[in-house]
């Protein structure tokens, strides 16, 4: 099935003129990233020379993707916005809530039972609001998107940081929090700071044991976990065209690990092949017709240093395999030096588990190359010394590799095939171990390896490598083994060597699948019921956060000064906590439990300044909240690194924390904090981090004059009576300050929607205008009752031009009434519309 062909056709039709218009304004050759950005400017956004890393710009992305763990909160927010149907193609993918334990079949069935309530909720919300639904077992969001929805030159957002995977198909695909997804699904402009551009020139060709994964492992080593912040990474050069489309996806996927906004490659023959190979010949044909617009201008790639903020070069012919880790994905170690590093650092040498798959590396190419090693192990009488698991990325890949005999090869080697889901990559792993705290090593072809991520054990040393290297290590069971140079002793006591892996980019017999796991939404979802049980501990309807009271924040107690790495996994752990992703109050009980307290170097142990006692972070914060005491969290560099989960912002907000003050933020997390009405602040002078003391009370002395590009002043009141006054920075623009004032972006949106639909007052500002427009369109397009439709049509036919413009407004009012009626309890609902009508009639009379 080809999705959204009309949308793609329409975009390609407009692309040349939009790019030409931008070219005229900026008057220089364009990178691919700029072409896609300019082609997706929101209709109300003026084309101008935007400041990289400075200008906030409004866009209209083509589509939205959400996964089950983040979709719950995104959709709860969408539901409270009161919009009848999504305005852009959107999908939900059930992949994170599947626990890996015994193998695909049983795990899937058990997880569907355990999380049935959530899957049913997601399915019914999708059905109601026009969202495509991919059932549990259909595959991991990013692989499913690449196979079905990715298209060259497109712009999409997704509520998962690895949405960036679709850059492998020349898209700008960007990870966001759920509140951003709500904006786009509501047809409103989506705001992003115009990114900086990093160019990476690839020459040569991969060979032997090296694969695409090694390109990004190397890049992570060069740029580190924050080197890509605020930037798009664009790969180009002759080497780029030699990489398979899925290999490009792998490289873009792990661009999340360097903090990049997204990564992309110019459209090429490999992408066209992939589109055709996955049943989308029509898309490839369309893309071929505009292919000059789907890659950077030749002048850019000839003199990249003139057009990118930074340029790096990698010769693929000289690149060797890498292993990154432990505990951070940017500690890149060439395989040739890895054994020495293992010994030098005293990392556990015995490898206990090798895990391949995940959204990063589960293509047909990855699986077949790894299977070629598994086959050798069988042929050369080598029994895998470590446990070995395989998570296929999608049912299409799984069905095809099973048909082609590869899964049975893994099983012969001792491998266990897990469900097509995230599983161990996100701690959904019931690992068989005799001691959950023992120091041990595992290696994965995943992307992240923060402490505790895979199995909850802080002493698990997780390394990241390509699927091929992971498979070879699993066979050897020893981290000091180097498959390129070393031999292994087989079951017969003979010394044998593994040959280089070999695989296929595409299945020679083509892809196949019986049931891909897709459910199309109802054409008219207005009758679909969405139920949340009152006593559910998995789902909880959202209550709006309180607006700002207009006063300065005084006497905020320091809740925690976090030391070192504080990723979203530290702020809102995944694994077992994923089950509470739809219940804000329950999941808030994990808030910041992974962050290390600077003062005692312990996790989940902070001083309650009201009692002087130490306790867990969530309980301490709840005690402050109960006492009506405001609090602040202090952190280090790249705070909120990693995932897109907005829970890491909503939980602190829900618990009453008012501000987060750090040395620097990761992009998505900073936006999530702003959207949820929190204060996201950075030290103007990083050394001031050292001035924060455990018993501090902190004032924001001039919040009442909160304004764009104006520092705020903080007064630190120490226990000994001394004070320090420090300046802090923020990146709020005027619109974002309004989010803060309203209590959250969603509060503001709901207010604007009500205002626009009621036509009570003319909203101001571009975004407000867009909301009004979106509401009109949505209401007009919404599958209203037949009667209403007839009325609108009749009026349109009868009236002339002016009446045509009025009709949608009336429809919007009706739609609003319906929403109001649905939200209010039954009896009240009957009365309320009457009252509104009566009031309006009275007004008219006046
Ligand atoms: C991840 O890889 O960390 C996740 C789990 O996919 C997250 C999303 C989430 O927390 O639900 C991400 O990458 O955004
Ligand atoms: Fe799932 Fe892991 Fe990919 Fe996140 S990184 S989407 S948890 S497979």
């Amino acid at each position: 099935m080809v999705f959204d062909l009309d949308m793609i056709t329409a975009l390609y039709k407009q692309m040349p003129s939009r790019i030409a218009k931008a070219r005229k304004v900026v008057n220089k050759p364009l990178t691919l990233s700029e072409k896609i950005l300019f082609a997706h400017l929101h209709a109300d956004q003026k084309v101008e020379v935007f400041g990289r890393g400075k200008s906030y710009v409004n866009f209209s992305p083509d589509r939205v993707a959400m996964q089950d763990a983040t979709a719950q909160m995104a959709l709860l927010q969408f539901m409270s916005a009161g919009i009848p149907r999504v305005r852009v193609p959107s999908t939900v993918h059930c992949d994170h809530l599947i626990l890996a334990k015994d193998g695909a079949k049983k795990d899937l069935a058990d997880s569907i039972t355990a999380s049935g309530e959530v899957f049913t909720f997601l399915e019914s919300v999708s059905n109601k609001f026009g969202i495509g639904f991919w059932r549990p077992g259909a595959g991991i969001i990013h692989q499913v998107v690449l196979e079905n929805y990715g298209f060259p030159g497109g712009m999409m957002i997704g509520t998962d940081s690895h949405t960036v995977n679709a850059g492998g198909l020349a898209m700008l695909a960007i990870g966001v929090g759920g509140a951003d997804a709500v904006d786009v699904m509501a047809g409103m402009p989506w705001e992003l700071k115009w990114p900086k551009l990093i160019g990476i020139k690839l020459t040569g060709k991969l060979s032997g044991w090296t694969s695409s994964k090694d390109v990004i492992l190397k890049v992570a080593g060069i740029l580190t976990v924050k080197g890509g912040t605020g930037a798009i990474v664009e790969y180009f050069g002759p080497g780029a065209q030699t990489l398979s489309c899925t290999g490009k996806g792998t490289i873009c996927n792990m661009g999340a690990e360097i903090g990049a906004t997204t990564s992309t490659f110019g459209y090429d023959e490999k992408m066209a092949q992939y589109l055709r190979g996955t049943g989308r010949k029509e898309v490839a044909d369309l893309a071929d017709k505009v292919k000059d617009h789907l890659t950077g201008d030749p002048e850019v790639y000839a003199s990249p240093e003139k057009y990118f903020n930074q340029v790096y070069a990698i010769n693929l012919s000289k690149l060797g395999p890498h292993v990154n880790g432990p505990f951070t994905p940017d500690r890149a170690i060439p395989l040739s030096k890895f054994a020495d590093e293992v010994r030098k650092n005293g990392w556990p040498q015995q490898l206990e588990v090798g895990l391949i798959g995940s959204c990063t590396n589960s293509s047909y190419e990855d699986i077949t190359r790894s299977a070629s090693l598994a086959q050798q192990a069988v042929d050369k009488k080598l029994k895998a010394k470590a446990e070995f698991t395989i998570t296929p990325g999608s049912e299409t890949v799984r069905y095809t590799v099973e048909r082609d005999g590869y899964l049975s090869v893994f099983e012969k080697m001792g491998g266990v095939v897990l469900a097509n889901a995230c599983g161990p990559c996100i701690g959904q792993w019931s690992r068989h171990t005799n001691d959950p705290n023992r120091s041990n090593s595992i290696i994965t072809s995943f992307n992240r390896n923060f402490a505790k991520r895979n199995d909850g054990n802080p002493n698990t040393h997780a390394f990241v490598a390509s699927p091929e290297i992971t498979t070879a290590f699993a066979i050897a069971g020893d981290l000091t083994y180097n498959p390129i140079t070393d031999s292994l002793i087989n079951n017969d006591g003979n010394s044998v060597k593994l040959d280089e892996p070999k695989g296929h980019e595409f299945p020679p017999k083509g892809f196949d699948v019986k049931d891909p796991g897709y459910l199309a939404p109802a054409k008219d979802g207005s009758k679909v019921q969405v139920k949340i049980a009152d006593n559910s501990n998995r789902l909880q309807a959202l209550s709006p956060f309180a607006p700002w009271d207009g006063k300065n924040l005084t006497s905020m107690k320091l809740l925690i000064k976090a030391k070192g790495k504080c990723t979203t996994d530290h702020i809102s752990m995944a694994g077992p906590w994923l089950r509470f992703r739809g219940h804000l109050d329950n999941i808030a009980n994990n808030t910041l439990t992974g962050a290390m307290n600077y003062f005692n170097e312990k996790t989940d142990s902070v001083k309650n300044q009201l009692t002087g006692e130490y306790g867990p972070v969530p309980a301490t914060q709840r005690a402050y909240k109960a006492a009506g005491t405001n609090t602040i969290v202090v952190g280090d560099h790249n705070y909120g690194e990693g995932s897109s989960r907005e829970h890491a912002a909503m939980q602190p907000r829900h618990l009453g924390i008012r501000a987060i003050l750090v040395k620097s933020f990761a992009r998505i997390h900073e936006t999530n904090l702003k959207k949820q009405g929190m204060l996201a602040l950075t030290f103007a002078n990083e050394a001031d981090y050292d001035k924060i003391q455990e018993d501090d009370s902190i004032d924001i002395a001039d919040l009442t004059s909160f304004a764009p590009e104006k520092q705020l002043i903080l007064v630190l009141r120490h226990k000994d009576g001394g004070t320090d006054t420090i300046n802090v920075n923020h990146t709020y623009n005027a619109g974002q300050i309004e989010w803060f004032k309203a209590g959250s972006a969603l509060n503001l949106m709901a207010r604007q929607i009500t205002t626009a639909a009621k036509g009570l007052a003319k909203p101001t500002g571009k975004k407000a205008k867009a909301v009004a427009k979106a509401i009109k369109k949505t209401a007009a397009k919404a599958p209203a009752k037949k009667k209403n439709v007839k009325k609108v049509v009749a009026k349109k036919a009868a009236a002339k031009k002016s009446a045509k413009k009025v009709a949608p407004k009336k429809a919007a009012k009706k739609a609003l009434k319906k929403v109001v009626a649905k939200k209010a309890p039954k009896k009240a609902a009957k009365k309320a519309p009457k009252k509104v009508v009566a009031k309006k009639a009275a007004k008219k009379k006046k």
Side-chain angles (χ1 to χ4, degrees):
M1 187 188 343
V2 187
F3 292 95
D4 311 321
L5 207 53
D6 291 348
M7 179 261 280
I8 299 171
T9 310
L11 176 74
Y12 285 170
K13 209 168 152 202
Q14 294 168 338
M15 220 167 174
S17 62
R18 288 185 181 176
I19 292 173
K21 190 172 166 194
R23 209 186 281 286
K24 249 192 187 166
V25 174
V26 300
N27 196 22
K28 69 167 189 69
L30 296 171
T31 61
L32 167 65
S33 310
E34 288 165 311
K35 289 182 188 180
I36 302 180
L37 290 170
F38 278 118
H40 288 85
L41 291 183
H42 187 267
D44 293 338
Q45 174 68 58
K46 198 169 154 246
V47 182
E48 54 190 79
V49 181
F50 300 112
R52 291 184 186 175
K54 291 198 183 88
S55 312
Y56 281 102
V57 180
N58 283 333
F59 295 95
S60 295
D62 301 309
R63 63 173 313 112
V64 176
M66 292 163 281
Q67 43 89 341
D68 50 2
T70 48
Q72 297 171 58
M73 213 39 101
L75 293 174
L76 283 167
Q77 293 178 80
F78 183 76
M79 284 161 65
S80 48
I83 302 211
R85 199 173 172 87
V86 290
R87 296 275 304 136
V88 302
S90 306
T91 48
V92 163
H93 304 258
C94 297
D95 52 2
H96 283 62
L97 296 179
I98 295 156
L99 182 77
K101 191 170 175 223
D102 299 315
K105 224 173 171 181
K106 185 167 183 312
D107 294 348
L108 186 60
D110 290 350
S111 299
I112 290 174
T113 306
S115 293
E117 181 187 358
V118 173
F119 293 137
T120 306
F121 167 76
L122 293 175
E123 189 182 321
S124 59
V125 181
S126 302
N127 199 17
K128 183 170 183 62
F129 294 104
I131 301 169
F133 182 72
W134 291 81
R135 284 193 298 253
I140 307 174
I141 176 169
H142 312 302
Q143 180 67 28
V144 174
V145 165
L146 199 71
E147 276 168 17
N148 294 279
Y149 299 112
F151 68 96
M155 179 190 246
M156 68 176 279
I157 60 158
T159 59
D160 190 283
S161 64
H162 294 106
T163 302
V164 293
N165 190 69
L169 257 177
M171 279 195 114
L172 288 190
I174 301 175
V176 297
D180 285 52
V182 173
D183 281 354
V184 178
M185 291 191 291
M188 288 169 48
W190 173 66
E191 184 185 73
L192 178 75
K193 215 182 243 178
W194 193 261
K196 287 180 267 174
L197 298 175
I198 297 177
I200 301 191
K201 180 171 182 173
L202 302 177
T203 55
K205 196 171 184 323
L206 296 172
S207 64
W209 284 87
T210 313
S211 72
S212 294
K213 178 76 155 211
D214 298 301
V215 176
I216 187 63
L217 293 176
K218 168 92 185 161
V219 169
I222 299 171
L223 284 170
T224 79
V225 287
K226 57 181 170 42
T229 308
I232 295 181
V233 181
E234 185 167 324
Y235 292 86
F236 62 95
Q241 285 158 30
T242 66
L243 300 171
S244 66
C245 175
T246 49
K248 291 180 173 100
T250 297
I251 294 172
C252 293
N253 179 302
M254 248 191 101
E257 272 52 68
I258 55 167
T261 301
T262 191
S263 305
T264 195
F265 282 82
Y267 178 59
D268 63 13
E269 197 38 45
K270 294 279 188 187
M271 296 184 194
Q273 277 169 16
Y274 185 74
L275 286 169
R276 295 197 170 97
T278 49
R280 289 171 292 166
K281 179 181 173 306
E282 297 89 330
V283 179
D285 291 346
L286 285 174
D288 283 343
K289 286 193 196 132
V290 288
K291 65 174 191 269
D292 290 350
H293 300 295
L294 302 176
T295 191
D297 286 342
E299 297 90 324
V300 169
Y301 295 155
S303 317
E305 52 296 326
K306 279 199 212 158
Y307 303 100
F308 291 98
N309 298 79
Q310 293 168 55
V311 180
Y312 299 90
I314 296 175
N315 182 344
L316 301 179
S317 307
K318 292 195 178 147
L319 183 70
H322 281 66
V323 182
N324 288 22
F327 306 123
T328 185
D330 58 351
R331 185 170 185 168
I333 308 166
L335 178 65
S336 53
K337 303 206 171 101
F338 186 57
D340 284 347
E341 286 290 313
V342 171
R343 289 190 199 98
K344 200 172 84 195
N345 292 293
W347 297 327
Q349 182 177 332
Q350 186 202 341
L351 177 73
E352 298 200 4
V353 196
L355 306 99
I356 66 165
S358 87
C359 63
T360 335
N361 276 103
S362 52
S363 63
Y364 192 84
E365 185 180 30
D366 292 329
I367 304 256
T368 53
R369 277 173 65 86
S370 303
S372 76
L373 297 171
Q375 185 64 54
Q376 288 184 53
V378 176
D379 296 344
K380 296 180 183 180
K381 298 186 181 165
L382 287 163
K383 175 117 188 63
K385 297 250 170 44
E387 278 182 52
F388 185 60
T389 69
I390 306 100
T391 46
S394 72
E395 178 57 11
T396 301
V397 167
R398 193 211 62 78
Y399 187 91
T400 310
V401 291
E402 182 178 51
R403 178 201 66 190
D404 296 348
Y406 293 109
L407 291 188
S408 61
V409 174
F410 287 128
E411 276 158 2
K412 274 186 217 146
M413 174 192 140
V416 176
V417 180
L418 300 172
N420 313 321
C422 302
C425 179
I426 190 55
Q428 287 282 53
W429 186 22
S430 177
R431 186 174 169 189
H432 312 197
T433 171
N434 50 6
D435 175 2
N437 292 315
R438 189 171 38 87
S439 187
N440 73 99
S441 291
I442 63 171
I443 189 164
T444 79
S445 73
F446 309 161
N447 40 37
R448 295 200 171 129
N449 54 356
F450 306 137
K452 293 197 195 174
R453 180 171 168 97
N454 304 109
D455 60 357
N457 176 358
N459 299 314
T460 293
H461 294 60
F463 297 90
V464 179
S466 67
E468 298 87 321
I469 294 296
T470 301
T471 308
F473 271 118
I475 295 169
D478 184 337
L479 285 183
T480 59
Y481 164 69
N482 180 344
I484 302 180
T485 52
D486 300 347
S487 301
L488 295 167
I489 304 297
N490 73 2
N491 299 345
D492 297 341
N494 296 327
S495 167
V496 291
K497 222 170 151 272
L498 291 174
D499 303 325
E500 294 172 351
K502 294 216 160 27
H504 301 275
E505 273 180 37
F506 281 104
K509 288 191 264 167
F511 281 108
D512 201 2
V513 65
K514 254 209 182 111
D515 174 8
Y518 176 69
L519 273 183
K523 287 228 164 73
D524 173 357
S526 58
K527 304 251 162 52
V528 177
Q529 295 273 330
V530 177
K531 280 188 196 143
I532 298 178
D534 286 344
N535 59 353
S536 172
N537 71 353
R538 301 287 304 262
L539 296 165
Q540 182 186 43
L542 290 173
S543 317
F545 294 130
W548 177 49
D549 62 6
K551 296 186 186 141
N552 286 329
L553 285 166
T554 51
S555 299
M556 289 186 291
K557 300 290 180 203
L558 175 72
L559 175 66
I560 183 170
K561 173 166 161 178
K563 183 175 178 190
K565 222 180 196 14
C566 192
T567 72
T568 47
D569 281 357
H570 296 77
I571 306 168
S572 174
M573 199 195 166
W577 288 93
L578 284 175
R579 69 181 185 280
F580 295 128
R581 283 290 184 86
H583 196 297
L584 187 54
D585 194 49
N586 282 347
I587 198 165
N589 289 330
N590 79 1
T591 306
L592 284 155
T593 48
M596 184 189 284
N597 180 354
Y598 178 91
F599 300 104
N600 59 9
E601 306 224 327
K602 287 186 184 162
T603 54
D604 205 17
S605 167
V606 291
K607 187 170 182 181
N608 178 339
Q609 292 191 41
L610 305 177
T611 61
E613 280 170 16
Y614 284 82
V617 185
T620 308
Q621 177 55 34
R622 284 193 193 271
Y624 282 129
K625 190 179 180 186
T629 307
N630 288 325
T631 54
I632 180 168
V633 167
V634 171
D636 216 310
H637 271 300
N638 212 22
Y639 182 91
E641 162 188 352
S643 94
S644 68
R645 67 192 75 143
E646 65 194 330
H647 303 75
M650 289 180 102
Q651 293 171 218
R653 179 80 172 98
H654 172 71
L655 290 180
I657 298 167
R658 304 302 298 268
I660 311 286
L661 169 63
V662 298
K663 291 184 185 169
S664 62
F665 282 109
R667 175 189 65 88
I668 309 179
H669 186 61
E670 184 181 20
T671 308
N672 285 345
L673 287 168
K674 290 178 178 178
K675 287 232 138 162
Q676 300 302 339
M678 296 278 291
L679 282 173
L681 310 171
T682 53
F683 290 100
N685 174 7
E686 278 175 19
D688 287 344
Y689 172 89
D690 300 328
K691 293 185 180 153
I692 309 281
Q693 298 177 17
E694 191 170 25
D695 293 286
D696 277 355
S697 283
I698 300 175
D699 301 343
I700 303 185
D702 55 353
L703 192 57
T704 45
S705 54
F706 191 20
E709 287 173 44
K710 182 177 169 288
Q711 289 184 328
L712 289 168
I713 297 169
L714 263 61
V715 183
L716 317 178
R717 300 185 190 286
H718 307 305
K719 197 180 177 189
D720 63 5
T723 58
D724 275 302
T725 300
I726 63 170
N727 286 353
V728 298
N729 294 332
H730 67 82
T731 59
Y732 290 74
N733 60 21
Q736 295 168 345
I737 290 178
E738 293 307 312
W739 301 343
F740 169 73
K741 288 183 178 167
S744 72
L746 189 66
N747 286 357
L748 189 68
M749 187 213 260
R751 204 161 75 200
Q752 287 172 335
I753 283 176
T754 312
T755 312
K758 280 185 179 166
L760 293 178
K762 283 219 160 121
T764 52
K766 269 185 199 168
K767 202 150 184 168
K769 258 199 241 162
V771 176
K773 248 194 214 170
I775 279 295
K776 274 188 197 170
K777 280 191 202 162
T778 308
K781 277 199 173 182
K785 277 185 189 166
K786 274 189 187 164
K787 250 192 193 172
N788 293 346
V789 175
K790 268 188 206 157
K791 269 188 203 165
V792 174
V793 173
K795 270 184 193 167
K796 270 190 184 170
K800 288 186 181 166
K801 259 185 192 174
S802 61
K804 269 187 198 165
K805 273 181 201 162
V806 175
K809 215 178 184 181
K810 285 194 176 165
K813 282 181 193 167
K814 270 181 196 159
L816 182 84
K817 268 188 227 158
K818 269 192 209 163
V819 173
V820 172
K822 263 182 205 160
K823 276 189 181 165
K826 272 186 189 167
K827 275 190 189 167
K830 278 183 195 162
K831 281 181 193 165
K834 273 187 206 159
K835 269 189 198 165
V836 174
V837 174
K839 265 189 196 167
K840 276 188 187 162
K843 254 190 193 175
K844 265 190 189 171
K845 271 186 190 171
K846 276 178 199 169

